[in-house]
Amino acid sequence: MSQNHRNKPSTASVFNGPLDWRRLVEWLQADGVISAEEAQRITARCAQAESAQHPLLRLASVSVRRASDAKALDIEALTQWLATRAGLDYLRIDPLKVDVSKVADTLSAAYAERHKILPVQVSTSEVVIAVTEPFITDWVAEVERQARRSVRRVLASPQEIHRYTAEFFTLAKSVKAAGKAGAGGSGGSSFEQLVELGKSSKQIDANDQSVVQVVDWLWQYAFDQRASDIHLEPRREQGVIRFRIDGVLHPVYQMPMGVLTAMVARIKLLGRMDVVEKRRPQDGRIKTRNPGGDEVEMRLSTLPTAFGEKMVMRIFDPETTVKDFDALGFSAHDAQRWEELVKRPNGIILVTGPTGSGKTTTLYATLKRVATEEINVSTIEDPIEMIEPAFNQTQVQPQLDFGFPEGVRALMRQDPDIIMVGEIRDQQTAEMAVQAALTGHLVFSTLHTNDAPSAVTRLLELGVPAYLINATLLGVLAQRLVRTLCPQCKLPASTDTREALTQRIEPWTLSGTYQAFKPVGCVDCRMSGFRGRTGLYELLVVSEPFKAQVTREPNSDALKRQAIVDGMRPLRLAGAQRVAEGLTVLDEILSATPPLS
């Protein structure tokens, strides 16, 4: 939810009763928001609009034009204007910041529907309630008496209140129903007995309709919030659900452990995993559809913890995962060099960076680009991140003695043109990747190093001789992900930012225009100031002078200097360029990239 303040004195306190669209038109004209001509046009069109609509929705449907710039006012702008006139705070409801269980305990669904109100925040002394009718207050005293708290009203869009009233109360009802099912209908639960499914006669059935509804809500909610991962975490007292959005985890819901255990069992069942086995980690996959009807794939992973099974669902939406180079965040300089590199007929190309830096997304986007009907692209992965029809994908199975080395060896007999190895972890995998490159294949893989030149040192540490590195390595791409500023609310940064940025990238200098911004926070970005992420890239292309520096005991500084001479731009410099372009901020760059040395 957006930040709220105490109710301001109402400029329309003399008015009491339900809203009427004609009165709203008069107020809009009186406040100078619309002209007299626009008021006449709106009156004529509203008279023909659907009468059952809320007055604000009725005005939004006829495109009210603001007098100052002729811009159409949507439902949010109209609600904000009305909140100011009514002396209430405006609220854009952020479901991630609403404790649904407390909301449902404050009012009944029927009462909320009848008065078109929705509790959104509950503290020990106050309950904040979103309303659509700012001048009807006859319910306030009754709610204060029942809740034993003071009521603070805020104004929210009638669309949001209608939607979230249904969602919140339905979810709370499903969770309570599931809890009662696990308690044998007794109305109370001994949830300690439900930590491990199958050990209690009072377990919750994974196919119980309430559990099914909660799981379905969870997925649709995650898609709506642009989550990349869903975490179901068992704790001593209760289960916790968290979403990862733009790289940051957000608490979403807390529920009884029995319900969380049943949810995990339900998801394991759908993912064709062993529901009974809870002592070892498991992997699975599920395909479902998002609210738009598009197919979405999720990778499942379970892990035994002290209080039960933890499950993480990684969401792979093909529309957002496999992107072109511009969408990934490549600069024009690096995009051109990367394009030339991946067109080479044979050799090894590495992508490096820590876990969660977007290496897999870059590899999938690259392979998707080069995979044609004339080229056989085969991958060996652990696990397969996302099913891609253009590739032949294989997953390692250590229990069958089928790891990366065996997988690469098998792929070499499958007449491949391009091989993607999920990760080079050991000497055997490194040697097989080198052999594949030497025999005429283009090999892509990943390593965990801080920057691109360090990949050479890592290969040497794994036991690959320097002469084989020089014979096969074509290039190394190091990358990071940083949050991007919300385009709706960012504001120009002060000149001090440029000075601080310049100091951080010395002896480098920035070329081109400088237009840095700072985060502010708005309803679209949940007051964080950031929305989405972009990649930072450092591309090392192996040249003959660089090969001369690759010896049995290379000088890391010499490797880095030669790579820069050959055109590599360090990660921090790439980040500084994004700051200068107004896409992100200095703090994001400093936390994500290694310092220049």
Side-chain angles (χ1 to χ4, degrees):
M1 291 179 295
S2 59
Q3 297 291 331
N4 294 305
H5 307 283
R6 284 290 173 188
N7 296 348
K8 300 174 282 294
S10 173
T11 58
S13 57
V14 294
F15 175 74
N16 289 294
L19 293 172
D20 175 76
W21 66 267
R22 290 182 176 84
R23 191 178 297 273
L24 291 181
V25 173
E26 292 175 6
W27 288 350
L28 283 166
Q29 184 178 351
D31 291 348
V33 178
I34 61 174
S35 63
E37 294 79 8
E38 179 68 3
Q40 293 177 356
R41 184 189 71 84
I42 294 170
T43 301
R45 293 197 60 185
C46 279
Q48 304 170 3
E50 184 183 345
S51 59
Q53 280 185 314
H54 187 280
L56 285 175
L57 292 172
R58 199 167 185 176
L59 290 180
S61 68
V62 298
S63 300
V64 177
R65 301 284 175 182
R66 190 159 49 196
S68 59
D69 55 8
K71 182 180 179 181
L73 299 176
D74 59 13
I75 185 64
E76 297 297 337
L78 288 168
T79 308
Q80 286 179 336
W81 160 79
L82 182 59
T84 302
R85 186 171 236 281
L88 299 178
D89 287 319
Y90 165 75
L91 174 72
R92 173 103 180 246
I93 301 173
D94 182 355
L96 289 181
K97 297 181 179 178
V98 175
D99 189 330
V100 177
S101 59
K102 287 185 178 180
V103 164
D105 289 340
T106 304
L107 298 175
S108 69
Y111 192 91
E113 286 280 0
R114 184 165 68 252
H115 292 281
K116 295 182 175 59
I117 60 177
L118 178 64
V120 290
Q121 192 174 21
V122 182
S123 67
T124 55
S125 60
E126 181 184 68
V127 54
V128 179
I129 296 184
V131 303
T132 61
E133 291 284 353
F135 305 113
I136 297 179
T137 58
D138 54 3
W139 52 268
V140 172
E142 184 178 1
V143 172
E144 287 183 334
R145 184 172 60 255
Q146 291 181 351
R148 297 179 181 177
R149 295 172 175 88
S150 63
V151 167
R152 178 159 61 91
R153 297 176 303 128
V154 294
L155 192 66
S157 160
Q159 279 181 328
E160 288 191 347
I161 290 183
H162 176 73
R163 171 189 173 184
Y164 290 121
T165 298
E167 284 192 13
F168 292 167
F169 283 100
T170 300
L171 172 63
K173 181 180 178 181
S174 297
V175 172
K176 286 182 179 179
K180 288 181 180 179
S186 64
S189 299
S190 177
F191 290 117
E192 291 81 358
Q193 299 175 0
L194 300 173
V195 173
E196 295 185 6
L197 263 176
K199 288 190 176 181
S200 170
S201 60
K202 295 183 179 180
Q203 67 186 24
I204 302 175
D205 185 356
N207 292 316
D208 184 276
Q209 187 59 35
S210 298
V211 176
V212 172
Q213 289 175 351
V214 174
V215 171
D216 288 344
W217 165 84
L218 177 69
W219 288 342
Q220 299 306 314
Y221 192 14
F223 301 149
D224 185 53
Q225 298 297 319
R226 302 182 297 107
S228 61
D229 300 86
I230 305 171
H231 291 240
L232 304 183
E233 302 175 341
R235 305 288 171 85
R236 184 186 297 274
E237 301 295 334
Q238 58 193 357
V240 176
I241 298 176
R242 296 196 289 174
F243 290 168
R244 187 176 295 279
I245 303 172
D246 295 337
V248 179
L249 277 172
H250 298 264
V252 174
Y253 198 80
Q254 296 180 350
M255 59 179 55
M257 268 298 303
V259 179
L260 189 82
T261 304
M263 291 174 64
V264 171
R266 166 73 180 168
I267 297 166
K268 287 173 68 176
L269 197 66
L270 295 175
R272 297 183 176 86
M273 302 162 72
D274 188 342
V275 178
V276 177
E277 178 58 74
K278 297 181 289 294
R279 299 169 299 173
R280 62 180 178 85
Q282 294 187 62
D283 295 306
R285 310 187 80 83
I286 287 179
K287 281 189 177 181
T288 185
R289 295 191 179 275
N290 61 22
D294 300 320
E295 189 175 82
V296 176
E297 188 165 337
M298 290 185 287
R299 191 187 78 200
L300 314 178
S301 173
T302 64
L303 183 73
T305 70
F307 302 109
E309 269 189 302
K310 176 180 184 243
M311 173 172 277
V312 174
M313 291 168 271
R314 174 154 290 185
I315 301 171
F316 294 100
D317 185 348
E319 297 299 319
T320 58
T321 303
V322 180
K323 305 176 181 178
D324 58 30
F325 294 153
D326 290 337
L328 288 172
F330 274 91
S331 66
H333 170 76
D334 285 337
Q336 180 181 358
R337 298 167 72 228
W338 183 247
E339 286 267 22
E340 294 171 355
L341 196 63
V342 302
K343 290 178 181 177
R344 303 279 284 274
N346 59 278
I348 297 177
I349 299 174
L350 298 175
V351 180
T352 76
T355 301
S357 59
K359 300 186 298 295
T360 301
T361 300
T362 299
L363 281 174
Y364 271 74
T366 301
L367 292 176
K368 181 83 171 176
R369 188 78 162 258
V370 300
T372 64
E373 293 183 354
E374 294 81 23
I375 291 179
N376 176 14
V377 177
S378 299
T379 74
I380 178 76
E381 305 174 58
D382 182 25
I384 296 173
E385 296 281 4
M386 187 180 68
I387 302 298
E388 175 51 57
F391 314 153
N392 299 294
Q393 296 170 281
T394 304
Q395 180 166 323
V396 302
Q397 301 184 59
Q399 68 274 19
L400 301 178
D401 294 327
F402 183 68
F404 280 123
E406 295 79 13
V408 177
R409 187 179 294 111
L411 286 182
M412 289 173 64
R413 296 193 291 270
Q414 290 287 312
D415 186 33
D417 297 296
I418 297 174
I419 296 173
M420 195 269 273
V421 183
E423 183 183 347
I424 295 179
R425 299 173 179 171
D426 50 41
Q427 183 177 0
Q428 278 187 302
T429 307
E431 289 175 349
M432 289 308 305
V434 167
Q435 289 300 316
L438 288 173
T439 52
H441 304 95
L442 183 61
V443 180
F444 290 88
S445 190
T446 68
L447 275 179
H448 290 285
T449 63
N450 282 334
D451 56 22
S454 298
V456 172
T457 308
R458 178 69 177 138
L459 289 174
L460 289 167
E461 291 172 350
L462 288 173
V464 181
Y467 73 91
L468 286 180
I469 295 176
N470 285 333
T472 57
L473 187 63
L474 300 177
V476 184
L477 180 74
Q479 69 177 81
R480 299 288 191 279
L481 287 177
V482 294
R483 292 184 296 170
T484 53
L485 288 165
C486 174
Q488 300 298 323
C489 64
K490 64 181 183 180
L491 292 176
S494 64
T495 55
D496 296 341
T497 305
R498 181 165 191 165
E499 296 174 3
L501 185 62
T502 303
Q503 292 174 359
R504 295 289 187 172
I505 62 171
E506 290 178 347
W508 297 83
T509 57
L510 288 173
S511 59
T513 59
Y514 178 87
Q515 193 175 10
F517 287 83
K518 62 181 180 181
V520 176
C522 67
V523 292
D524 285 335
C525 61
R526 302 184 188 87
M527 305 307 296
S528 69
F530 298 92
R531 185 179 175 89
R533 291 191 291 176
T534 190
L536 304 179
Y537 299 93
E538 172 182 279
L539 179 56
L540 182 161
V541 177
V542 176
S543 63
E544 291 301 324
F546 185 85
K547 291 180 181 179
Q549 303 292 335
V550 181
T551 60
R552 183 177 300 177
E553 296 182 358
N555 184 305
S556 58
D557 290 335
L559 288 174
K560 188 174 295 186
R561 283 195 299 269
Q562 185 59 53
I564 290 172
V565 170
D566 293 337
M568 184 187 81
R569 295 178 179 175
L571 280 167
R572 181 152 293 184
L573 185 65
Q577 193 63 47
R578 291 290 180 262
V579 174
E581 293 169 359
L583 292 178
T584 187
V585 295
L586 181 58
D587 287 345
E588 282 286 306
I589 303 305
L590 297 180
S591 63
T593 61
L596 293 170
S597 56

